[in-house]
Amino acid sequence: MSRRGGGRRSSEPRPDQGSSTPSPSFQRGGGGDRGRGRGRRGGFTPAPSPTPVRAPPPAASGYLSATAGPSTSSTPQEMASSSNAPPPSASSSASMEELSQEIAKKLSFGSTSATGGSVPVSSKAIVPPPRPQLGRIGRKCTIRANHFVVEVSDRDLFHYDVAITPEITSKKVNRDVISQLVRSYRESHLGNRMPAYDGRKSLYTAGALPFEAKEFVVKLVEKNDPASSSSSVKKERQFNVAIKYASKVDMHHLKEFLSGRQKDVPQETIQILDIVLRASPSEKYVTVGRSFFSLDLGKKGELGNGIEYWRGYYQSLRPTQMGLSLNIDVSARSFYEPILVTEFVAKYFNLRDLSRPLSDQDRVKVKRALRGIKVEISYRDYARSFKVTGISNLPVDKTMFTLDDKKTKVSVHQYFWDRYNIGLKYTSLPPLQAGTDAKPIYLPMELCKIAGGQRYTKKLNERQVTALLRATCQRPSARENSIKEMVAHNDYSRNVLVRNEFGIQVKEELTSVDARVLPPPMLKYHDTGREARVDPHLGQWNMINKKMVNGGKIDFWTCVNFSTRVQRDLPFEFCWQLMDMCNSKGMEFHPDPIIQIHSADSRHIEKALHDVHKKCTAKLANQKGKQLQLLIIILPDFSGSYGKIKRICETELGIVSQCCQPQQAKKLSKQYLENVALKINVKAGGRNTVLNDAIQRRIPNVTDLPTIIFGADVTHPQPGEDSSPSIAAVVASMDWPEVTKYRGLVSAQAHREEIIQDLYKKYQDPQKGLVHSGMIRELFIAFRRSTGQKPHRIIFYRDGVSEGQFSQVLLHEMQAIREACGTLEEGYCPPVTFVVVQKRHHTRFFPADHSKRDLTDRSGNILPGTVVDTKICHPTEFDFYLNSHAGIQGTSRPTHYHVLFDENNFTADGLQTLTNNLCYTYARCTRSVSIVPPAYYAHLAAFRARYYIEGETSDSGSTGATGRSVEARSLPVVKENVKDVMFYC
C-alpha cells in the first residue's frame, strides 16, 4: 500500500545530544578559537603515495577535536583503514596527466600553509578508486542481464581520415558516398578491404590499406529521396574523397585494460569496434543517438496531435569484467506522422474547421512545432523537399512576395493559381516559410506533406507520455523476449563486415549474472504506536498501527479551495478528515484554522494567496515570531496553476503549502489522506520513520562520526528552450545520526551547464572585503545549527552525470567542496566519498526463471534489494547496479552507482547496504524507492525551481514562458522559513 510524506520535530532532543545544546556556527577563523583569523583556503593535500588522496589533519584547536562524545576523539584518518589500492599504470594517457596536474593544482592547499610551512603537492593521477572487493552480504541468486558477450579477433586496426568535397552535413549522404566508393574501388584500390565509416571524418579498417593517402572521384546517382533538400534536381552528383592514414590502433591496450593491468580506458579502440557494430544498422534505420528506429522493427502507433511512435533498439559496446559486452535494449521514440501539414495542424489543435484563421498564439505554436522539419511538395513535375524556417504572419491570400522580375508583387494564393492552376482551399491559413528571411520561399500548408522518419524532439504532453508508456510498457518476460528477437533480427554473426572483416563475434544469449538480494532494513516508528518497528516485505509496508517517529506540530493553518467542481462543504470535510488523520499518525494538528476555510476564484490565484497571507499576518501580529505554518490548497479544475502557486507561496510570501487535486480530495479516501499526512509531516519539520540501525549507531562510516549526506542534481530545459537556464539543486541531511531529514537549496546557472556553479563562490564586497558563499557553506552551517556538531565525513551522491563528464564534474565539484570547507575553519577538510548516481542507462535485469515466485516480486521483476557488482560492471573501478525497489508495472530499471572518489574507504558491502537502506527512508511513501533519496530529493527540488521560472508545461509541450522572458528573469529566492523544511516533497 503506497504512502507519502515524512519528517521530525526540530525541537525534540536527539539521542546523542540534550535539548539544551547550543547551536554554534562555523567561524571563518576556525571553530571555537575565534582569535585565529580567517582560515587558509580550503583544499586537501594529495598524498605522494598512489593511494587515493587523504585529508590533512584538523587544526589543533578546531571543532573536530572539540566536539563532545568519545567517538569524536579520533581524526578521520585514524577512523579510516589504510587503502590497498594498486598504483596507477605508468602509461596513463595525456588527458589523464593533464587532469591530474589540474587536480593537484586546484585540490590542494596553497604552496604555503597559514603558518608558513610548505604543503606537498602531488602530481600523481587522480583516478576513480579501485573496487575494494566484491560484496558478500545478501542471499545469492542468478539473474539475466541484457548484455551480450563480444569476442574480438586479434587483428590490427587502422584509422584513416576522410575528407569529402563538397562538404556534406548529412551523415546519410556521407554514408552513401563512401558506400559507392567501396563498391567502385574495393578490389582495384582498397586491397579488397571493407572499411567501417562513422559518417563524418573517420574510416577504419582491419588491416592496412595499400596506400598512405589517396583521392577518389565518386559519382553518386541521387535517388528520389524526399528527405534530402536541394536547390534543383540532379541526376548525378560528383564528390572528391580524400583518404589519409592517421594511426594504427593498439589492441593490446584494450586487453590490458580489460584484465585490470591498464588504468586508462582505450576509448578509441572501443569506439572503433562500436562503429563496426553500428555500421549496418546506421545505413538501414533512422539513427537517434545510440538507438535505431524503423518501421521494420515493429508496428508504429499513434500518440495524438500528429505524433506517432516507432519501435527500435538501443545498442552500446561497453568494457566489463567479463570483457567487451554489447548492451541491447528495446526502445521507442516519437516521430512526426507523414501527413499533410493541414492535417497535422488539425490534429495538433483538435480542429474540425480549418477555414478559420489561426490566432496569433496558435500560429506561434505551429511555428515552434514545425520549425526545422522537412516537408515534401509534389505539385511540380518532380518531388522536392524543403526545411521549414518559419511561418508567415498573414494568411496565404494576404502574404505577398515579389516575383523574379523584381517588380510584380503577388499573393501566395494568386501565385499558385496563376503558375500551377491550383486553387487553394484553406486561404485563411498562413503559408510555411522556407529559405531565408531575405529570400523567403512560401509554401501553402495544404500542398506540403511532412517527410517521414523525422523525430519529434519537443516535450510530449501528458496524454502523449501516457500513450507512449502504455504502448511500450512490457513485463519482464515479454521485454526479455523482445530483446532476444531484436538480437536475432540483427544477426551479427552473419554480418560480413562484423564477422568476416573485423573478426567480431556477438553471442546471442543474455548474460547470466551472479547477484545478491540485500536484506531490507528495520524501520523505527514512535514507541507509542502499536508497532514501533517494522520489517518491510518486498520493498513495501504500511502505516497501520504505526505513528510517525517524530510528529510535527501545526498551530497555524488554513485552507483555500480553487475548484468549482467540488461540493460546497467538501473543503471543510476534507480538512477535518485530514487533520484527524495527521493527529492519529502522531502529529499535533490544531483543530481550528487561523482564518476561515474558504473558496476563491481560480482566475485570481495571486490575489487570493496574497489575501490569505495578509489576513494571517494581521491575525498573528501580536504573537512575536509566529506565522502561518501550512496552507492547504485544493487546486483548480484545470491544469497549469501548480507552478504559479508554488512560486508565489515559496518565493514571495514564505508560505509552506500542500496542494491537493480536487478529484482526489472529493473521494475522501483514507489512503490518500494518509499519503498527504505523511507529506505534511515533513513540511512541519517532522520525520515519518528512521533506520533502526541509525538509532542504534550501527551504520558503518555514518553513525560513528558526525556525517553529512548530500544529494545533488542538475536539470536542463527541454529541447527548444535555448535561453532557459539549467537549474542545480543540492540537499543535505540535517539530522545525524538518523540521516532522514534534508534541507534543499536551488540555483540557476548557464544553459545546459552540467557542473554545479554555486557549490562555492567568493566575491569582493566594497564594505566586507572578500566574501565566501555557496551551497556547501550554507548547508554545513545549517547542519551545525541543527545538530550542534560539525560534519567529520561527507558522502556526496551526484545525479545526472554521464560517463563522459565524470572527470570534469569530479575535478570542479570536489574543488568547490574543498574550498568551501577551508573557508569555514582553518585546516578543515573532512574526507569525501563522491558517488555518481545513474538512472538513464539501458541495463535491465530479468529473473533466471520467470515462473519461480521466490525469485520475483508481484510484477514479475527481480526482488527489491538485488545488487550486482560482477560480470557486467566496470573491469576495475568501484561500481554496482542496485534494484532497490519493487516493480509496479513494466520492467524495473536498476540504478547504477559509480564511486569516483572515496576517502572514507567504504567496503563494497558498506556502500551497497547503506545505499539500499537509505532507499527505505524516502519521505513521501511507504515503499523503497529506485534511487537513493538524497539524489531523489535534489531532483524534486530542481524540478520545483523550474516551475518558478517557467510555469506549468502546456499541453502543446511548450513552456509557459518565452525564451526571452526566461533569460531576463533570474531564479527567485526561496524564503528562509520554507528552506527550513522539506518543502519540495
Side-chain angles (χ1 to χ4, degrees):
M1 192 182 299
S2 178
R3 299 290 186 267
R4 297 183 181 178
R8 155 185 179 165
R9 192 180 313 163
S10 58
S11 60
E12 187 157 332
R14 294 166 182 81
D16 59 299
Q17 170 195 352
S19 59
S20 60
T21 304
S23 300
S25 62
F26 286 95
Q27 304 297 326
R28 260 190 219 166
D33 190 0
R34 298 188 181 198
R36 197 160 42 205
R38 186 179 299 143
R40 57 187 171 185
R41 186 177 178 180
F44 67 91
T45 307
S49 68
T51 56
V53 289
R54 300 302 309 147
S61 57
Y63 278 138
L64 289 181
S65 56
T67 46
S71 65
T72 59
S73 60
S74 302
T75 66
Q77 293 91 325
E78 291 165 346
M79 296 304 298
S81 59
S82 61
S83 172
N84 296 319
S89 169
S91 59
S92 296
S93 64
S95 61
M96 186 57 75
E97 283 298 329
E98 291 171 11
L99 177 64
S100 67
Q101 290 172 16
E102 194 172 357
I103 290 179
K105 190 184 298 179
K106 292 185 175 182
L107 298 191
S108 63
F109 291 116
S111 57
T112 57
S113 68
T115 57
S118 62
V119 176
V121 175
S122 168
S123 62
K124 295 285 184 182
I126 307 298
V127 297
R131 189 182 306 281
Q133 74 284 309
L134 296 177
R136 297 177 181 175
I137 292 177
R139 177 168 61 87
K140 292 181 180 179
C141 64
T142 301
I143 59 177
R144 284 194 291 268
N146 59 336
H147 284 242
F148 299 83
V149 175
V150 175
E151 295 176 351
V152 183
S153 299
D154 191 8
R155 301 184 185 183
D156 292 331
L157 302 183
F158 291 83
H159 175 201
Y160 293 87
D161 291 328
V162 176
I164 301 175
T165 51
E167 194 169 345
I168 314 161
T169 56
S170 167
K171 271 189 173 185
K172 185 180 186 310
V173 178
N174 279 339
R175 292 186 193 279
D176 290 342
V177 170
I178 297 301
S179 294
Q180 182 60 43
L181 184 150
V182 173
R183 283 193 295 269
S184 302
Y185 299 103
R186 180 180 175 186
E187 293 184 4
S188 58
H189 292 77
L190 302 182
N192 216 27
R193 299 280 181 208
M194 185 181 289
Y197 176 52
D198 71 349
R200 293 289 185 205
K201 305 281 188 184
S202 295
L203 195 76
Y204 303 98
T205 60
L209 293 175
F211 55 80
E212 289 284 322
K214 202 170 191 66
E215 289 195 14
F216 299 87
V217 175
V218 177
K219 293 182 179 180
L220 191 64
V221 178
E222 282 195 341
K223 299 174 183 175
N224 187 13
D225 183 3
S228 64
S229 176
S230 57
S231 57
S232 63
V233 170
K234 298 175 182 177
K235 298 297 182 185
E236 188 176 79
R237 296 173 70 187
Q238 182 170 302
F239 300 92
N240 291 328
V241 182
I243 298 177
K244 184 181 179 182
Y245 171 79
S247 63
K248 182 180 177 182
V249 180
D250 184 12
M251 288 291 288
H252 178 70
H253 186 176
L254 175 61
K255 290 182 179 179
E256 292 292 290
F257 172 75
L258 293 173
S259 65
R261 293 188 290 270
Q262 182 80 31
K263 292 296 177 188
D264 56 310
V265 184
Q267 201 60 54
E268 185 184 11
T269 311
I270 295 172
Q271 182 181 343
I272 293 170
L273 299 174
D274 193 44
I275 288 168
V276 173
L277 290 165
R278 299 173 67 80
S280 179
S282 294
E283 292 179 1
K284 295 189 293 184
Y285 307 137
V286 175
T287 306
V288 181
R290 292 185 171 275
S291 298
F292 303 102
F293 300 94
S294 172
L295 298 178
D296 296 334
L297 298 174
K299 291 182 180 179
K300 67 178 182 179
E302 276 200 52
L303 294 176
N305 302 98
I307 311 301
E308 63 186 15
Y309 66 84
W310 287 18
R311 297 185 187 274
Y313 67 97
Y314 167 92
Q315 171 181 308
S316 176
L317 187 65
R318 306 182 58 80
T320 65
Q321 293 175 29
M322 62 182 182
L324 290 176
S325 164
L326 194 62
N327 180 205
I328 295 179
D329 191 23
V330 290
S331 185
R333 284 289 185 278
S334 54
F335 286 79
Y336 286 92
E337 283 189 71
I339 53 179
L340 288 174
V341 174
T342 45
E343 191 180 346
F344 174 82
V345 171
K347 286 188 172 186
Y348 199 70
F349 293 107
N350 196 24
L351 298 176
R352 292 183 180 179
D353 183 9
L354 290 176
S355 62
R356 296 180 182 178
L358 293 177
S359 67
D360 286 344
Q361 186 179 10
D362 285 348
R363 188 181 52 78
V364 170
K365 287 181 179 180
V366 172
K367 180 180 176 181
R368 285 179 179 172
L370 295 179
R371 182 192 287 157
I373 75 163
K374 289 175 182 174
V375 293
E376 304 166 12
I377 60 170
S378 56
Y379 53 80
R380 304 176 75 160
D381 296 335
Y382 52 85
R384 186 177 170 196
S385 67
F386 293 88
K387 181 179 270 190
V388 177
T389 57
I391 190 171
S392 174
N393 295 331
L394 299 169
V396 289
D397 57 356
K398 291 185 173 62
T399 299
M400 311 293 289
F401 70 99
T402 305
L403 295 176
D404 292 340
D405 62 8
K406 299 184 179 178
K407 296 178 184 177
T408 311
K409 278 202 166 186
V410 65
S411 71
V412 174
H413 176 253
Q414 188 64 42
Y415 173 79
F416 274 85
W417 175 253
D418 294 342
R419 180 70 184 271
Y420 300 108
N421 198 30
I422 296 175
L424 298 178
K425 182 180 178 182
Y426 302 112
T427 54
S428 297
L429 292 178
L432 301 175
Q433 181 181 321
T436 63
D437 289 336
K439 292 184 178 181
I441 300 170
Y442 292 110
L443 306 168
M445 290 185 181
E446 62 194 84
L447 301 181
C448 297
K449 181 182 179 183
I450 296 172
Q454 296 185 84
R455 188 186 172 197
Y456 181 74
T457 58
K458 312 295 190 296
K459 184 178 181 181
L460 297 175
N461 62 38
E462 238 177 79
R463 292 188 305 275
Q464 291 168 330
V465 170
T466 302
L468 184 62
L469 290 175
R470 188 180 296 120
T472 58
C473 182
Q474 291 179 298
R475 292 289 191 187
S477 56
R479 192 183 192 102
E480 184 178 359
N481 289 332
S482 296
I483 292 170
K484 289 177 182 177
E485 289 171 8
M486 201 67 76
V487 173
H489 178 84
N490 292 337
D491 201 7
Y492 299 97
S493 60
R494 294 192 181 182
N495 184 286
V496 175
L497 180 71
V498 173
R499 181 68 182 269
N500 298 349
E501 190 72 21
F502 282 84
I504 300 174
Q505 186 175 354
V506 181
K507 295 191 175 179
E508 295 191 1
E509 303 84 27
L510 280 82
T511 298
S512 290
V513 181
D514 293 330
R516 291 168 289 116
V517 180
L518 300 177
M522 179 179 286
L523 302 176
K524 178 73 171 66
Y525 282 90
H526 201 278
D527 289 333
T528 58
R530 289 172 62 184
E531 293 181 20
R533 291 173 181 80
V534 62
D535 286 308
H537 178 65
L538 292 178
Q540 53 192 314
W541 62 104
N542 57 52
M543 283 293 292
I544 297 172
N545 297 328
K546 303 173 189 69
K547 288 190 176 182
M548 301 152 178
V549 69
N550 300 112
K553 185 177 182 181
I554 293 180
D555 293 317
F556 310 112
W557 66 278
T558 190
C559 171
V560 59
N561 167 48
F562 289 112
S563 172
T564 58
R565 296 180 185 172
V566 298
Q567 293 180 1
R568 184 176 178 181
D569 294 335
L570 185 279
F572 301 92
E573 181 65 21
F574 175 74
C575 287
W576 186 88
Q577 291 199 23
L578 179 59
M579 176 189 62
D580 185 59
M581 178 64 73
C582 289
N583 285 328
S584 72
K585 295 303 173 186
M587 291 184 66
E588 292 181 43
F589 208 113
H590 196 281
D592 300 318
I594 184 173
I595 63 171
Q596 188 174 4
I597 295 170
H598 64 286
S599 295
D601 191 338
S602 59
R603 294 171 297 179
H604 305 291
I605 288 174
E606 188 163 359
K607 179 182 182 301
L609 294 174
H610 278 268
D611 286 348
V612 168
H613 183 256
K614 184 178 179 180
K615 290 177 182 176
C616 291
T617 303
K619 193 84 177 282
L620 293 168
N622 296 328
Q623 300 189 47
K624 188 177 180 181
K626 302 297 184 182
Q627 60 187 330
L628 178 67
Q629 293 172 282
L630 178 70
L631 175 60
I632 299 168
I633 298 171
I634 298 177
L635 290 167
D637 304 305
F638 55 86
S639 64
S641 58
Y642 179 82
K644 180 180 182 179
I645 289 171
K646 289 298 184 181
R647 174 180 57 78
I648 294 168
C649 287
E650 293 165 2
T651 69
E652 294 180 14
L653 304 177
I655 294 175
V656 177
S657 60
Q658 177 59 55
C659 293
C660 304
Q661 292 287 353
Q663 62 267 31
Q664 293 291 340
K666 64 185 179 184
K667 292 178 184 176
L668 297 174
S669 157
K670 294 293 184 185
Q671 181 175 331
Y672 179 70
L673 292 169
E674 195 174 278
N675 289 346
V676 176
L678 294 177
K679 295 180 73 174
I680 287 175
N681 191 42
V682 179
K683 295 173 182 178
R687 298 183 303 180
N688 295 337
T689 185
V690 297
L691 296 170
N692 192 59
D693 280 350
I695 299 289
Q696 301 296 328
R697 300 291 188 94
R698 291 195 304 234
I699 303 179
N701 278 359
V702 173
T703 54
D704 56 335
L705 291 175
T707 299
I708 187 168
I709 299 182
F710 284 93
D713 190 18
V714 177
T715 64
H716 302 294
Q718 295 297 325
E721 289 291 338
D722 295 334
S723 59
S724 184
S726 291
I727 294 177
V730 180
V731 305
S733 58
M734 293 286 122
D735 59 340
W736 181 83
E738 293 89 358
V739 291
T740 304
K741 187 192 296 186
Y742 291 82
R743 182 183 178 93
L745 303 176
V746 293
S747 173
Q749 56 189 43
H751 178 74
R752 301 228 161 258
E753 172 61 65
E754 181 55 50
I755 295 168
I756 301 176
Q757 301 297 302
D758 285 350
L759 286 180
Y760 168 71
K761 295 185 296 185
K762 61 181 177 181
Y763 60 93
Q764 204 71 33
D765 184 90
Q767 280 76 40
K768 299 178 182 178
L770 183 63
V771 176
H772 302 281
S773 64
M775 295 175 164
I776 296 293
R777 279 180 55 92
E778 184 174 339
L779 291 168
F780 266 61
I781 291 168
F783 181 94
R784 181 66 187 266
R785 191 182 301 121
S786 174
T787 66
Q789 307 258 22
K790 184 176 62 177
H792 288 216
R793 183 187 291 114
I794 300 171
I795 300 171
F796 199 94
Y797 286 103
R798 176 65 158 91
D799 195 7
V801 182
S802 64
E803 291 177 13
Q805 297 169 312
F806 278 6
S807 297
Q808 193 181 16
V809 168
L810 175 64
L811 169 67
H812 291 279
E813 295 186 5
M814 274 299 304
Q815 175 198 358
I817 293 169
R818 291 306 191 199
E819 288 188 317
C821 291
T823 62
L824 288 165
E825 176 183 310
E826 181 182 357
Y828 178 51
C829 195
V832 180
T833 297
F834 194 107
V835 186
V836 168
V837 182
Q838 292 177 304
K839 192 71 175 171
R840 292 184 177 178
H841 60 81
H842 288 267
T843 293
R844 299 290 185 274
F845 295 138
F846 306 98
D849 187 340
H850 292 278
S851 64
K852 289 191 175 180
R853 293 301 170 200
D854 60 329
L855 298 178
T856 65
D857 63 16
R858 293 170 188 168
S859 67
N861 280 285
I862 58 171
L863 295 170
T866 301
V867 64
V868 172
D869 57 5
T870 60
K871 275 195 176 180
I872 61 167
C873 293
H874 193 279
T876 58
E877 293 174 8
F878 188 3
D879 72 326
F880 57 92
Y881 291 92
L882 174 62
N883 188 83
S884 51
H885 66 299
I888 299 176
Q889 60 179 355
T891 303
S892 298
R893 187 200 309 248
T895 299
H896 184 228
Y897 297 90
H898 200 129
V899 182
L900 297 191
F901 200 75
D902 182 26
E903 294 178 311
N904 291 303
N905 292 320
F906 268 97
T907 64
D909 282 327
L911 188 60
Q912 291 166 10
T913 301
L914 170 65
T915 304
N916 185 59
N917 289 357
L918 287 174
C919 290
Y920 285 78
T921 65
Y922 184 60
R924 301 207 300 180
C925 59
T926 56
R927 300 176 66 95
S928 59
V929 288
S930 64
I931 185 172
V932 70
Y936 206 146
Y937 294 145
H939 175 76
L940 291 177
F943 194 75
R944 172 66 56 80
R946 189 159 296 285
Y947 277 136
Y948 298 160
I949 56 173
E950 291 183 359
E952 194 87 17
T953 302
S954 70
D955 280 350
S956 66
S958 59
T959 52
T962 63
R964 287 184 181 177
S965 65
V966 169
E967 193 173 30
R969 186 179 182 186
S970 60
L971 189 65
V973 178
V974 179
K975 296 292 185 181
E976 285 300 318
N977 67 302
V978 177
K979 278 186 197 175
D980 284 338
V981 297
M982 295 170 71
F983 67 93
Y984 44 82
C985 280

